[in-house]
Amino acid sequence: MKVTRAVLPFLPLCQRLLPSRLAGLSLNLLKATALEIAILAGHLLLYPSGIIQEQRSPAPGTRTGTGPGPDDSAHDSGGESDASRLPLPVHPPVVLLHGFIDNRSVFVLLRRSLAQHGRQQVESLNYSPLTCDIRTAAELLGRHIEEICERTGRHEVDIVGHSLGGLIARYYVQRLGGDVRVRTLVTLGTPHSGTAVVPMMNAHPIVRQMRPGSAVIEELRERAPHCRTRFVSFWSDLDQLMDPLETACIEHPDLLAQNVRVSGIGHLALPVHPAVAAGIRQALEAEVPGARTAAHANGLTVA
């Protein structure tokens, strides 16, 4: 993440031409923009590798076939194999859901970070770039999560959604009864109240659904008194796609929600930056609903 070295030659000029407060903001914006460009270039290289849906691997301790295996002679007195008696992983599976016109390749670094810190079951889901309705995508997500729970033997999952992916996941949780399956939903740069950025993209139906005042956004404002899922929303003060910036915060009286401000990076860096990955891990590992760490209470500064 040292790509900001490329902007160092321009720093003295900015400091001379701009007032101190404006210069500080402009320098942070310059650094964030340089980082966004570097991440975009890297992501374009990785994008083809994420087009195909990933292969589903069996959960640890589960049997993969219906017939007897070579070690099935090792049964105890109750007739169970050693494999069938292996304990389930401590943590529920983590489902990663990408943003608009993207795919699972955006989560390469995040899923590696999660795996290195003990998350044994991490899966990325692709939805079609031709998806034109958040409600339909949320229904599809629900079917995927039911399949994951059945395959892994778990009752709940955690979800991390970037941008549009977070909005799809929230709709599933809040409007389709997904709170019985989702323990924690972490969103990264998600337009929870709608974003007014790039009006020319209104030709796309799903972009219109992400606008302030759309039918989908209004549905998410409705009462949800019995929603059990815990929400953690990471939002950036330099997010170029959130207009206004605070639209990436969850403000709902019925939801157990925490908003974490991230300073110094843009939209594309949220699922990539190691400081944000550490914050996501803390959010997923919190055992007490609504528990706040010092880092979360004060936000994250990564500039």
Side-chain angles (χ1 to χ4, degrees):
M1 294 302 170
K2 298 300 183 182
V3 298
T4 54
R5 291 176 180 171
V7 304
L8 290 179
F10 300 97
L11 300 188
L13 177 61
C14 292
Q15 290 169 342
R16 286 198 302 269
L17 295 179
L18 299 172
S20 58
R21 290 185 61 188
L22 184 58
L25 175 61
S26 299
L27 295 179
N28 287 336
L29 182 59
L30 186 60
K31 293 177 184 178
T33 301
L35 181 58
E36 291 284 285
I37 293 172
I39 291 173
L40 177 61
H43 188 40
L44 289 175
L45 293 176
L46 289 174
Y47 191 92
S49 67
I51 293 176
I52 301 176
Q53 195 78 263
E54 72 178 1
Q55 297 296 316
R56 308 297 180 212
S57 58
T62 59
R63 299 278 295 280
T64 58
T66 57
D71 297 326
D72 280 357
S73 59
H75 285 226
D76 61 14
S77 57
E80 291 183 331
S81 67
D82 290 339
S84 65
R85 291 186 287 109
L86 288 175
L88 288 173
V90 175
H91 302 293
V94 179
V95 180
L96 307 176
L97 198 61
H98 62 80
F100 181 59
I101 316 180
D102 209 341
N103 62 39
R104 61 187 177 88
S105 63
V106 73
F107 292 118
V108 167
L109 296 180
L110 177 58
R111 68 180 303 158
R112 181 183 301 170
S113 174
L114 293 172
Q116 290 173 343
H117 289 82
R119 290 284 175 164
Q120 300 178 25
Q121 300 172 2
V122 181
E123 300 195 7
S124 300
L125 299 181
N126 277 357
Y127 55 89
S128 171
L130 302 178
T131 298
C132 292
D133 183 56
I134 288 175
R135 303 177 186 88
T136 301
E139 292 173 358
L140 178 61
L141 172 63
R143 291 196 291 272
H144 277 300
I145 289 177
E146 290 298 324
E147 185 273 329
I148 290 171
C149 289
E150 181 178 0
R151 173 163 43 84
T152 62
R154 303 304 296 258
H155 177 68
E156 292 180 313
V157 303
D158 292 330
I159 299 180
V160 179
H162 180 227
S163 196
L164 173 61
L167 203 60
I168 291 171
R170 180 179 171 186
Y171 193 93
Y172 163 65
V173 166
Q174 191 176 330
R175 302 293 299 171
L176 301 181
D179 61 313
V180 301
R181 289 298 193 195
V182 181
R183 186 190 68 157
T184 300
L185 169 57
V186 177
T187 66
L188 311 173
T190 290
H192 291 286
S193 300
T195 178
V197 76
V198 195
M200 66 185 67
M201 291 191 66
N202 280 349
H204 197 295
I206 211 164
V207 173
R208 293 198 298 271
Q209 290 184 334
M210 289 191 286
R211 296 305 191 195
S214 73
V216 168
I217 297 299
E218 291 304 310
E219 284 184 56
L220 294 177
R221 293 183 186 275
E222 295 180 10
R223 293 291 308 277
H226 305 298
C227 187
R228 289 165 282 189
T229 298
R230 182 170 63 96
F231 297 82
V232 181
S233 175
F234 288 82
W235 66 283
S236 169
D237 58 5
L238 294 177
D239 192 327
Q240 309 91 333
L241 298 184
M242 297 298 108
D243 182 15
L245 290 172
E246 292 77 9
T247 190
C249 298
I250 298 178
E251 303 293 344
H252 194 293
D254 296 329
L255 300 182
L256 181 59
Q258 178 184 353
N259 297 303
V260 182
R261 175 174 176 166
V262 182
S263 299
I265 60 175
H267 189 78
L268 295 179
L270 286 168
V272 174
H273 201 284
V276 180
I280 293 170
R281 295 197 308 269
Q282 290 181 21
L284 296 180
E285 291 167 4
E287 296 181 0
V288 180
R292 297 170 182 258
T293 64
H296 283 177
N298 300 322
L300 296 171
T301 300
V302 298

